[in-house]
Amino acid sequence: MSGDFKAKIVIGCVAILAIGGMLFSVGGRERALAGVNDFIPLYVAATTVGTDGLYAVEPYMDFQNEHFGAAGESLRFTRLPYYSVLLAPLRLLDYPAAYALWSLLRLAAVVAFVWLWTGAQSKADTFLFVAISMPIYMALMTGQDTLLLLPLLALALRYEATRPFVAGVALSLCSIKFHLFTLIPVLLIAQRRWDIGKGFLAGGGALVALSFVGGGWTWPADYLHTLLDDSVHPGPKVMPNLHGLEMPFPVELGLCVSIAVTSWFAMRRMSFDVGLAAALPGGILLSYHSYVMDTVILVPALMIVMLRAEAHWMRLAAVILLSPMPALLLLSGPPESYVMQAGLLLLLGSLLYTGLRRDEASHSLQPAESSAEAA
């Protein structure tokens, strides 16, 4: 084991103790330990799967009042119904035991990401990047399931060349937060990755079918009604997306369409990993509902940028976005929170500009090595 490897592991451990200790001491320790967070709607969904109560308000309010003496309207199930079927085994445990298991599963997901990541970075590099990611700590403390997306993205990148069908299925499972991945279909179509698309469609079709098991025949209307309820989208000023800029809706819609169209043209000339690195920050910007915990998906994107970018300023920008600073500024609200959107727009714009200018002989982001070679 080299000295450089050991040094990175030590720095990562120190970062975990420093950042984790700081958040745990000042960031709602009691609520985090008791599970008074975003795990509540997931647990209630596991107990109401297959019933009319999956998207009803009352079960979630009643559970919170009974167990915690107060209720928050935003703590309701906003995932597709198939997810409640996957969560159903949690109903066999009482809430504290289920929350403990949920915490272990999410920690395991982070470890799996470090193990599965096939970028040219060493395991020590990956561990270090994870250790300094403030959103990962916040996702752990708030019961968020965004951490489950990390190993799925690692699998997609690991197998995109050798087992594309598996990569597509992994991407379809990212639909537990589909609003963060609106540019993934754009990437697959732009690059004509029909091999991955087959897995993506097969997995997606199975999940849609499973949704009828979890939500019944009326789930599309019930789900749409939930998404249109403003109470499940609180605090837009601390959202890292374009919606968080609180611009007029026509302007926001125009920017979203412009990003999607430009992404399609640029992604045609990108390698798959660089296209994925652009799709992730782009998906966050286009999402109507996202918070600082959702920016954990930037970790693989920024690691790709740090590996592939030749421009020093792009690698520096990636390091800054990986650091705790943008997340902390986002939580401060406007105008400090705009640093996150500005950083995401700069990152995405740079990647798309590079893709649009790329030709066969010369480009500033080198194509990824094959997954077979990386593995």
Side-chain angles (χ1 to χ4, degrees):
M1 185 181 296
S2 69
D4 183 58
F5 186 96
K6 291 180 180 179
K8 291 174 181 176
I9 295 296
V10 170
I11 294 172
C13 290
V14 171
I16 290 174
L17 292 174
I19 300 174
M22 178 192 71
L23 284 178
F24 195 69
S25 62
V26 302
R29 175 178 54 191
E30 292 76 14
R31 294 175 66 86
L33 290 175
V36 188
N37 53 33
D38 290 339
F39 179 61
I40 292 173
L42 302 181
Y43 182 78
V44 177
T47 64
T48 57
V49 57
T51 72
D52 295 337
L54 184 62
Y55 291 116
V57 178
E58 291 76 12
Y60 300 90
M61 300 300 103
D62 293 343
F63 180 88
Q64 293 177 68
N65 285 319
E66 178 183 349
H67 288 78
F68 306 111
E73 288 188 64
S74 64
L75 291 178
R76 289 158 53 193
F77 189 63
T78 57
R79 307 289 191 267
L80 290 166
Y82 78 81
Y83 195 29
S84 66
V85 179
L86 302 181
L87 293 170
L90 293 174
R91 69 196 300 171
L92 302 176
L93 303 172
D94 61 17
Y95 187 79
Y99 181 60
L101 176 60
W102 181 245
S103 300
L104 290 174
L105 286 173
R106 292 177 302 128
L107 278 172
V110 177
V111 174
F113 171 73
V114 175
W115 182 259
L116 291 169
W117 184 251
T118 58
Q121 291 100 344
S122 68
K123 292 291 186 292
D125 287 324
T126 308
F127 172 72
L128 180 58
F129 296 148
V130 166
I132 65 174
S133 173
M134 179 72 76
I136 287 181
Y137 296 93
M138 299 191 69
L140 285 169
M141 291 190 65
T142 57
Q144 265 285 335
D145 53 359
T146 321
L147 298 173
L148 303 179
L149 301 171
L150 291 176
L152 294 174
L153 291 170
L155 282 172
L157 191 60
R158 185 183 187 92
Y159 292 124
E160 59 92 9
T162 57
R163 299 177 185 176
F165 188 87
V166 173
V169 172
L171 288 175
S172 73
L173 286 168
C174 290
S175 61
I176 61 176
K177 286 216 163 188
F178 65 88
H179 56 290
L180 302 177
F181 297 94
T182 51
L183 290 183
I184 292 298
V186 174
L187 170 64
L188 298 182
I189 295 172
Q191 297 193 353
R192 299 179 180 272
R193 295 303 304 266
W194 313 130
D195 50 354
I196 299 178
K198 291 176 182 178
F200 185 76
L201 290 176
L207 296 176
V208 169
L210 194 59
S211 288
F212 285 97
V213 176
W217 293 106
T218 64
W219 76 260
D222 297 337
Y223 186 51
L224 179 61
H225 183 266
T226 297
L227 294 183
L228 293 176
D229 188 342
D230 288 339
S231 66
V232 300
H233 309 290
K237 291 183 179 181
V238 293
M239 290 184 179
N241 48 28
L242 294 176
H243 183 59
L245 297 176
E246 298 186 297
M247 63 184 69
F249 178 73
V251 177
E252 180 182 337
L253 180 61
L255 281 175
C256 289
V257 173
S258 299
I259 287 174
V261 172
T262 306
S263 296
W264 185 82
F265 282 105
M267 287 174 176
R268 293 186 302 171
R269 304 180 181 186
M270 292 177 175
S271 59
F272 181 81
D273 66 337
V274 176
L276 183 64
L280 296 178
I284 292 174
L285 286 168
L286 268 57
S287 65
Y288 182 83
H289 175 107
S290 58
Y291 297 93
V292 65
M293 293 77 71
D294 296 312
T295 61
V296 300
I297 65 172
L298 289 178
V299 173
L302 294 172
M303 288 173 62
I304 292 170
V305 171
M306 292 178 66
L307 176 65
R308 303 299 178 202
E310 290 185 352
H312 294 299
W313 70 266
M314 285 187 68
R315 293 201 297 271
L316 177 60
V319 171
I320 293 173
L321 281 171
L322 267 173
S323 74
M325 183 188 68
L328 293 174
L329 291 176
L330 179 65
L331 294 174
S332 301
E336 292 85 356
S337 58
Y338 297 154
V339 169
M340 176 66 81
Q341 287 98 333
L344 294 179
L345 285 168
L346 178 62
L347 174 67
L348 178 62
S350 301
L351 290 170
L352 297 183
Y353 179 72
T354 299
L356 290 172
R357 292 185 66 247
R358 177 184 169 189
D359 55 41
E360 292 297 326
S362 162
H363 49 87
S364 61
L365 287 178
Q366 300 298 323
E369 61 189 47
S370 72
S371 296
E373 293 172 344

